[in-house]
Amino acid sequence: GMKKKEVNVICVGLDNSGKTTIINKLKPQNAQQSDIVPTIGFTVEKFASASLSFTVFDMSGQGRYRNLWEHYYKDAQAIIFVIDSSDKLRMVVAKDELEQLLNNQDILSKRIPILFYANKMDMKESLSAVKVSQMMGLEAIKDKPWHICASNAITGEGLPEGVEWVTDQIR
Ligand code: GTP
Ligand code: MG
């Protein structure tokens, strides 16, 4: 059959937001890991959509590793930014990290699509995707396509919608 187009993606967001759980859930069932541990540095993962073959840099969100993110912006064709919708206290920290990302030279210079997952939608205290979008100031992003989906990385709910959006942006 046709060889799928290869796409590099970087997955960022604060520690414990659910990045690794999301990427794991996007892999074929027989390739999924049953126990997810906090990422040290980063890992490189692969998954596919109908038309694309994704190579994902799954970055650690821990403070001490966040300075690694920017080294992988140059080669990225899309960004997945994961937010814990139930972590109201640290949403301002996530917003600050997003602002740093958006002001990076390698990001400023290209019209890269950014997918936001408002993850952990299953938690009782979770904010809606609209509310997360407001708290993160996403309306201010005018020069890049962006999209936000509510997701539950444990069940996979909401994840395909995001991957389809990214796929449409890249084609
Ligand atoms: P770092 O690698 O440290 O940056 O964290 P991470 O963003 O990769 O988070 P990880 O995927 O390790 O998930 C952190 C915790 O949140 C784990 O206990 C997951 O099971 C849990 N988790 C992830 N997604 C969800 C979700 O949608 N709902 C709920 N309830 N828990 C989730
Ligand atoms: Mg991780």
Side-chain angles (χ1 to χ4, degrees), residues 19-21 36-39 58-60:
K19 300 178 291 299
T20 304
T21 310
I36 307 276
V37 295
T39 306
D58 174 18
M59 307 305 294
S60 169

mmCIF file of all heavy atoms in Angstrom, residues 19-21 36-39 58-60, ligand 2:
data_model
loop_
_atom_site.group_PDB
_atom_site.id
_atom_site.type_symbol
_atom_site.label_atom_id
_atom_site.label_comp_id
_atom_site.label_asym_id
_atom_site.label_seq_id
_atom_site.Cartn_x
_atom_site.Cartn_y
_atom_site.Cartn_z
ATOM 1 N N LYS A 19 0.526 13.457 29.383
ATOM 2 C CA LYS A 19 1.147 13.340 28.046
ATOM 3 C C LYS A 19 1.447 11.899 27.665
ATOM 4 O O LYS A 19 1.071 11.421 26.593
ATOM 5 C CB LYS A 19 2.462 14.170 27.992
ATOM 6 C CG LYS A 19 2.255 15.655 28.246
ATOM 7 C CD LYS A 19 3.567 16.412 28.242
ATOM 8 C CE LYS A 19 4.479 16.089 29.418
ATOM 9 N NZ LYS A 19 3.908 16.392 30.743
ATOM 10 N N THR A 20 2.160 11.201 28.543
ATOM 11 C CA THR A 20 2.574 9.824 28.227
ATOM 12 C C THR A 20 1.367 8.897 28.132
ATOM 13 O O THR A 20 1.308 8.014 27.264
ATOM 14 C CB THR A 20 3.585 9.324 29.277
ATOM 15 O OG1 THR A 20 4.688 10.240 29.315
ATOM 16 C CG2 THR A 20 4.100 7.940 28.942
ATOM 17 N N THR A 21 0.382 9.143 28.987
ATOM 18 C CA THR A 21 -0.839 8.323 28.956
ATOM 19 C C THR A 21 -1.583 8.527 27.635
ATOM 20 O O THR A 21 -2.093 7.565 27.048
ATOM 21 C CB THR A 21 -1.749 8.682 30.156
ATOM 22 O OG1 THR A 21 -0.962 8.645 31.354
ATOM 23 C CG2 THR A 21 -2.905 7.710 30.294
ATOM 24 N N ILE A 36 2.450 3.352 33.415
ATOM 25 C CA ILE A 36 3.053 4.597 32.942
ATOM 26 C C ILE A 36 3.760 5.248 34.118
ATOM 27 O O ILE A 36 3.172 5.387 35.186
ATOM 28 C CB ILE A 36 1.951 5.555 32.418
ATOM 29 C CG1 ILE A 36 1.067 4.878 31.370
ATOM 30 C CG2 ILE A 36 2.554 6.874 31.913
ATOM 31 C CD1 ILE A 36 1.576 4.875 29.986
ATOM 32 N N VAL A 37 5.010 5.601 33.914
ATOM 33 C CA VAL A 37 5.754 6.280 34.981
ATOM 34 C C VAL A 37 6.129 7.687 34.509
ATOM 35 O O VAL A 37 6.145 7.955 33.314
ATOM 36 C CB VAL A 37 7.028 5.489 35.375
ATOM 37 C CG1 VAL A 37 6.663 4.151 35.974
ATOM 38 C CG2 VAL A 37 7.965 5.314 34.182
ATOM 39 N N PRO A 38 6.423 8.601 35.469
ATOM 40 C CA PRO A 38 6.829 9.950 35.065
ATOM 41 C C PRO A 38 8.027 9.880 34.109
ATOM 42 O O PRO A 38 8.953 9.106 34.322
ATOM 43 C CB PRO A 38 7.218 10.614 36.387
ATOM 44 C CG PRO A 38 6.404 9.889 37.417
ATOM 45 C CD PRO A 38 6.354 8.465 36.927
ATOM 46 N N THR A 39 7.965 10.679 33.064
ATOM 47 C CA THR A 39 9.010 10.666 32.037
ATOM 48 C C THR A 39 10.267 11.372 32.560
ATOM 49 O O THR A 39 10.184 12.421 33.185
ATOM 50 C CB THR A 39 8.479 11.378 30.774
ATOM 51 O OG1 THR A 39 7.245 10.765 30.410
ATOM 52 C CG2 THR A 39 9.470 11.294 29.621
ATOM 53 N N ASP A 58 7.950 12.788 23.398
ATOM 54 C CA ASP A 58 7.165 12.889 24.626
ATOM 55 C C ASP A 58 8.074 13.458 25.711
ATOM 56 O O ASP A 58 8.859 12.742 26.320
ATOM 57 C CB ASP A 58 6.640 11.489 25.005
ATOM 58 C CG ASP A 58 5.931 11.476 26.346
ATOM 59 O OD1 ASP A 58 5.531 12.547 26.834
ATOM 60 O OD2 ASP A 58 5.781 10.360 26.913
ATOM 61 N N MET A 59 7.943 14.756 25.940
ATOM 62 C CA MET A 59 8.857 15.453 26.841
ATOM 63 C C MET A 59 8.428 15.311 28.301
ATOM 64 O O MET A 59 7.229 15.227 28.592
ATOM 65 C CB MET A 59 8.904 16.944 26.467
ATOM 66 C CG MET A 59 9.222 17.234 25.007
ATOM 67 S SD MET A 59 10.751 16.488 24.397
ATOM 68 C CE MET A 59 11.991 17.364 25.361
ATOM 69 N N SER A 60 9.383 15.330 29.208
ATOM 70 C CA SER A 60 9.036 15.394 30.624
ATOM 71 C C SER A 60 8.540 16.797 30.936
ATOM 72 O O SER A 60 9.077 17.781 30.432
ATOM 73 C CB SER A 60 10.261 15.105 31.493
ATOM 74 O OG SER A 60 9.965 15.432 32.850
HETATM 75 MG MG MG B 2 5.347 11.544 30.725
#
